[in-house]
Amino acid sequence: GQQVMQIPQYQHVQEGEDFTTYCNSSTTLSNIQWYKQRPGGHPVFLIQLVKSGEVKKQKRLTFQFGEAKKNSSLHITATQTTDVGTYFCAGRRDSSYKLIFGSGTRLLVRP
Amino acid sequence: EAGVTQSPTHLIKTRGQQVTLRCSPISGHTSVYWYQQALGLGLQFLLWYDEGEERNRGNFPPRFSGRQFPNYSSELNVNALELEDSALYLCASSVGLRTGELFFGEGSRLTVL
Protein backbone atom coordinates (compact mmCIF):
# COMPACT_ATOMS: atom_id res chain seq x y z
CA GLY A 1 0.00 0.00 0.00
CA GLN A 2 0.93 3.64 -0.23
CA GLN A 3 3.47 4.81 2.35
CA VAL A 4 4.67 8.32 3.13
CA MET A 5 7.89 8.74 5.11
CA GLN A 6 9.34 11.86 6.66
CA ILE A 7 12.81 12.71 7.89
CA PRO A 8 14.09 13.70 10.31
CA GLN A 9 11.85 12.50 13.11
CA TYR A 10 13.04 15.30 15.39
CA GLN A 11 14.95 18.52 14.86
CA HIS A 12 16.15 20.78 17.65
CA VAL A 13 17.44 24.14 16.42
CA GLN A 14 18.58 27.44 17.85
CA GLU A 15 16.21 30.30 17.14
CA GLY A 16 17.32 31.95 13.92
CA GLU A 17 18.64 28.75 12.35
CA ASP A 18 17.02 27.21 9.29
CA PHE A 19 15.00 23.99 9.30
CA THR A 20 14.07 21.50 6.59
CA THR A 21 11.88 18.41 6.64
CA TYR A 22 11.70 15.93 3.79
CA CYS A 23 8.81 13.79 2.66
CA ASN A 24 9.04 10.72 0.44
CA SER A 25 6.21 8.63 -1.00
CA SER A 26 6.38 5.04 -2.20
CA THR A 27 4.01 5.98 -5.04
CA THR A 28 3.49 8.95 -7.33
CA LEU A 29 1.17 11.48 -5.77
CA SER A 30 -1.57 13.56 -7.37
CA ASN A 31 -0.88 16.31 -4.85
CA ILE A 32 0.80 16.86 -1.51
CA GLN A 33 -0.34 18.84 1.48
CA TRP A 34 1.47 20.12 4.54
CA TYR A 35 0.03 20.50 8.01
CA LYS A 36 1.32 21.88 11.31
CA GLN A 37 0.28 20.50 14.68
CA ARG A 38 1.17 22.56 17.73
CA PRO A 39 1.75 20.68 21.00
CA GLY A 40 -1.63 19.66 22.39
CA GLY A 41 -3.41 20.87 19.27
CA HIS A 42 -4.83 19.48 16.08
CA PRO A 43 -3.30 19.55 12.59
CA VAL A 44 -3.80 22.79 10.69
CA PHE A 45 -3.51 22.98 6.91
CA LEU A 46 -0.58 25.00 5.57
CA ILE A 47 -0.52 24.47 1.81
CA GLN A 48 -1.21 22.14 -1.11
CA LEU A 49 1.11 21.51 -4.05
CA VAL A 50 -0.21 19.96 -7.24
CA LYS A 51 2.22 20.47 -10.10
CA SER A 52 5.49 18.65 -10.72
CA GLY A 53 8.41 20.82 -9.56
CA GLU A 54 6.09 23.35 -7.93
CA VAL A 55 7.55 25.77 -5.39
CA LYS A 56 5.40 27.90 -3.10
CA LYS A 57 6.38 30.38 -0.41
CA GLN A 58 4.56 31.59 2.67
CA LYS A 59 6.67 34.24 4.38
CA ARG A 60 9.59 32.26 5.87
CA LEU A 61 8.24 28.88 4.69
CA THR A 62 9.18 27.40 1.30
CA PHE A 63 7.45 24.29 0.00
CA GLN A 64 8.64 22.17 -2.92
CA PHE A 65 7.07 19.27 -4.83
CA GLY A 66 9.52 17.00 -6.61
CA GLU A 67 9.68 16.59 -10.38
CA ALA A 68 8.59 12.97 -10.10
CA LYS A 69 5.78 13.93 -7.67
CA LYS A 70 7.07 11.41 -5.14
CA ASN A 71 8.84 13.74 -2.75
CA SER A 72 8.43 17.12 -1.14
CA SER A 73 10.18 19.41 1.30
CA LEU A 74 9.36 22.20 3.71
CA HIS A 75 12.08 24.71 4.53
CA ILE A 76 11.76 27.33 7.26
CA THR A 77 14.20 30.22 7.17
CA ALA A 78 15.31 31.81 10.44
CA THR A 79 13.15 29.78 12.79
CA GLN A 80 11.20 31.43 15.58
CA THR A 81 9.80 29.95 18.78
CA THR A 82 6.34 30.18 17.22
CA ASP A 83 7.44 27.59 14.65
CA VAL A 84 7.50 24.89 17.33
CA GLY A 85 5.29 21.92 16.48
CA THR A 86 5.10 18.82 14.36
CA TYR A 87 5.02 19.22 10.59
CA PHE A 88 3.23 16.56 8.57
CA CYS A 89 3.12 16.02 4.87
CA ALA A 90 0.11 14.20 3.43
CA GLY A 91 -0.45 12.82 -0.03
CA ARG A 92 -2.98 11.12 -2.22
CA ARG A 93 -2.23 8.51 -4.87
CA ASP A 94 -5.03 10.05 -6.89
CA SER A 95 -7.85 12.48 -6.24
CA SER A 96 -10.29 9.76 -5.24
CA TYR A 97 -7.90 8.01 -2.87
CA LYS A 98 -7.43 8.41 0.86
CA LEU A 99 -5.09 11.08 2.22
CA ILE A 100 -2.09 9.40 3.83
CA PHE A 101 -0.04 11.33 6.37
CA GLY A 102 3.68 11.12 6.79
CA SER A 103 5.23 10.22 10.13
CA GLY A 104 5.87 13.89 10.93
CA THR A 105 8.90 15.93 11.95
CA ARG A 106 8.85 17.46 15.40
CA LEU A 107 10.56 20.86 15.50
CA LEU A 108 11.88 22.27 18.75
CA VAL A 109 13.34 25.79 18.82
CA ARG A 110 15.70 27.01 21.54
CA PRO A 111 15.18 30.70 22.30
CA GLU B 1 -18.80 29.73 11.19
CA ALA B 2 -18.43 26.72 13.48
CA GLY B 3 -15.51 24.41 12.87
CA VAL B 4 -15.44 20.64 13.04
CA THR B 5 -16.83 19.53 16.37
CA GLN B 6 -16.14 16.23 18.08
CA SER B 7 -17.59 14.59 21.15
CA PRO B 8 -16.77 13.51 23.71
CA THR B 9 -13.45 15.33 24.20
CA HIS B 10 -12.15 12.82 26.73
CA LEU B 11 -13.30 9.40 27.81
CA ILE B 12 -12.01 6.46 29.78
CA LYS B 13 -13.05 2.89 29.03
CA THR B 14 -11.95 -0.55 30.11
CA ARG B 15 -10.79 -3.40 27.93
CA GLY B 16 -13.60 -5.17 26.13
CA GLN B 17 -15.98 -2.22 26.22
CA GLN B 18 -17.38 -0.41 23.23
CA VAL B 19 -17.15 3.27 22.37
CA THR B 20 -18.87 5.65 19.94
CA LEU B 21 -17.23 8.88 18.90
CA ARG B 22 -19.11 11.61 17.08
CA CYS B 23 -18.15 14.25 14.57
CA SER B 24 -19.98 17.17 13.01
CA PRO B 25 -18.31 18.59 9.91
CA ILE B 26 -18.20 22.20 8.88
CA SER B 27 -21.48 23.25 7.30
CA GLY B 28 -21.39 22.50 3.58
CA HIS B 29 -18.67 19.87 3.86
CA THR B 30 -19.64 16.42 2.60
CA SER B 31 -16.44 14.47 3.27
CA VAL B 32 -15.47 13.22 6.72
CA TYR B 33 -12.18 11.53 7.61
CA TRP B 34 -11.19 9.69 10.77
CA TYR B 35 -7.59 9.33 11.93
CA GLN B 36 -6.01 7.70 14.96
CA GLN B 37 -3.07 9.42 16.61
CA ALA B 38 -1.34 7.48 19.36
CA LEU B 39 0.58 9.62 21.86
CA GLY B 40 3.52 11.34 20.19
CA LEU B 41 3.00 9.52 16.92
CA GLY B 42 1.65 10.23 13.45
CA LEU B 43 -1.84 10.11 12.02
CA GLN B 44 -3.05 6.69 10.98
CA PHE B 45 -5.90 6.71 8.45
CA LEU B 46 -9.03 4.95 9.67
CA LEU B 47 -12.02 5.77 7.47
CA TRP B 48 -13.23 8.21 4.85
CA TYR B 49 -16.86 8.97 4.09
CA ASP B 50 -18.33 11.14 1.40
CA GLU B 51 -21.99 11.74 0.65
CA GLY B 52 -22.92 8.95 3.04
CA GLU B 53 -20.70 6.31 1.44
CA GLU B 54 -17.50 4.74 2.72
CA ARG B 55 -14.76 5.73 0.25
CA ASN B 56 -11.71 4.16 1.80
CA ARG B 57 -10.77 2.16 4.84
CA GLY B 58 -7.40 1.99 6.58
CA ASN B 59 -5.57 -1.10 7.83
CA PHE B 60 -7.56 -1.51 11.02
CA PRO B 61 -9.47 -4.57 12.24
CA PRO B 62 -13.24 -4.85 11.61
CA ARG B 63 -14.01 -3.86 15.20
CA PHE B 64 -13.36 -0.30 13.98
CA SER B 65 -16.40 0.82 12.03
CA GLY B 66 -18.34 3.94 11.28
CA ARG B 67 -21.01 5.61 9.30
CA GLN B 68 -22.03 8.94 7.88
CA PHE B 69 -25.52 10.30 8.30
CA PRO B 70 -27.65 12.24 5.78
CA ASN B 71 -26.66 15.49 7.48
CA TYR B 72 -22.99 14.47 6.88
CA SER B 73 -22.18 14.02 10.55
CA SER B 74 -20.34 10.84 11.35
CA GLU B 75 -19.77 8.24 14.04
CA LEU B 76 -16.77 6.06 14.72
CA ASN B 77 -17.46 2.88 16.66
CA VAL B 78 -14.82 0.73 18.28
CA ASN B 79 -15.85 -2.62 19.74
CA ALA B 80 -13.95 -4.91 22.11
CA LEU B 81 -11.55 -2.17 23.16
CA GLU B 82 -7.90 -3.08 23.63
CA LEU B 83 -5.23 -1.20 25.54
CA GLU B 84 -3.51 -0.16 22.31
CA ASP B 85 -6.66 1.64 21.18
CA SER B 86 -5.75 4.42 23.59
CA ALA B 87 -5.19 7.43 21.34
CA LEU B 88 -6.47 10.74 20.09
CA TYR B 89 -9.14 10.17 17.46
CA LEU B 90 -9.25 13.03 15.01
CA CYS B 91 -12.08 13.81 12.67
CA ALA B 92 -11.61 16.09 9.68
CA SER B 93 -13.91 17.39 6.99
CA SER B 94 -13.44 18.77 3.51
CA VAL B 95 -15.71 20.42 1.00
CA GLY B 96 -16.00 17.44 -1.29
CA LEU B 97 -14.54 14.29 -2.73
CA ARG B 98 -11.70 15.82 -4.73
CA THR B 99 -10.99 19.02 -2.87
CA GLY B 100 -7.86 19.42 -0.86
CA GLU B 101 -7.75 21.03 2.52
CA LEU B 102 -8.82 19.04 5.57
CA PHE B 103 -10.21 20.89 8.57
CA PHE B 104 -9.60 19.00 11.80
CA GLY B 105 -11.57 18.93 15.00
CA GLU B 106 -9.95 19.02 18.42
CA GLY B 107 -10.21 15.26 18.73
CA SER B 108 -11.53 12.73 21.21
CA ARG B 109 -8.94 11.46 23.67
CA LEU B 110 -9.67 7.80 24.46
CA THR B 111 -7.95 6.02 27.31
CA VAL B 112 -8.43 2.27 27.65
CA LEU B 113 -7.57 0.77 31.04
Side-chain angles (χ1 to χ4, degrees):
Chain A
Q2 178 188 353
Q3 291 188 342
V4 180
M5 305 299 294
Q6 270 183 267
I7 55 169
Q9 187 176 4
Y10 298 96
Q11 186 89 49
H12 202 173
V13 301
Q14 186 71 40
E15 188 173 21
E17 291 182 337
D18 292 356
F19 159 78
T20 304
T21 173
Y22 299 90
C23 179
N24 290 285
S25 170
S26 58
T27 59
T28 302
L29 301 171
S30 65
N31 59 64
I32 195 150
Q33 300 175 9
W34 285 90
Y35 292 79
K36 177 183 179 181
Q37 185 175 25
R38 294 181 185 274
H42 59 275
V44 174
F45 175 82
L46 294 175
I47 207 162
Q48 176 172 280
L49 304 172
V50 178
K51 299 176 182 177
S52 169
E54 188 171 12
V55 178
K56 286 188 175 180
K57 293 190 176 184
Q58 289 180 349
K59 298 182 180 177
R60 294 178 295 106
L61 278 61
T62 302
F63 304 84
Q64 288 189 304
F65 199 9
E67 294 291 340
K69 301 185 77 173
K70 294 182 72 173
N71 56 74
S72 181
S73 65
L74 158 60
H75 179 82
I76 301 178
T77 303
T79 54
Q80 300 174 359
T81 55
T82 54
D83 295 326
V84 165
T86 301
Y87 292 85
F88 292 98
C89 63
R92 295 181 193 270
R93 194 177 67 191
D94 58 62
S95 60
S96 62
Y97 199 67
K98 56 193 174 187
L99 187 65
I100 300 298
F101 279 74
S103 44
T105 296
R106 185 177 175 189
L107 173 62
L108 303 171
V109 180
R110 290 189 296 271
Chain B
E1 180 184 283
V4 176
T5 57
Q6 292 187 245
S7 64
T9 54
H10 296 82
L11 67 166
I12 300 174
K13 293 284 188 178
T14 56
R15 274 193 318 176
Q17 285 189 311
Q18 178 266 344
V19 68
T20 297
L21 308 178
R22 295 176 176 83
C23 172
S24 292
I26 292 173
S27 177
H29 287 193
T30 63
S31 270
V32 170
Y33 300 75
W34 287 95
Y35 290 88
Q36 181 197 64
Q37 187 175 33
L39 191 62
L41 298 180
L43 283 73
Q44 301 301 315
F45 173 78
L46 273 164
L47 290 160
W48 173 24
Y49 294 96
D50 184 77
E51 298 278 2
E53 292 187 13
E54 184 180 296
R55 291 290 174 176
N56 270 140
R57 182 181 175 83
N59 296 325
F60 281 83
R63 57 191 186 84
F64 286 83
S65 65
R67 54 180 173 168
Q68 187 179 32
F69 298 98
N71 67 352
Y72 304 121
S73 66
S74 178
E75 283 183 353
L76 174 68
N77 298 290
V78 188
N79 295 321
L81 285 167
E82 300 179 1
L83 297 178
E84 53 265 34
D85 295 334
S86 294
L88 180 67
Y89 289 85
L90 289 162
C91 171
S93 71
S94 68
V95 172
L97 185 62
R98 291 183 171 80
T99 50
E101 179 180 356
L102 264 57
F103 295 81
F104 282 85
E106 298 290 340
S108 293
R109 173 74 63 187
L110 171 65
T111 301
V112 182
L113 302 175

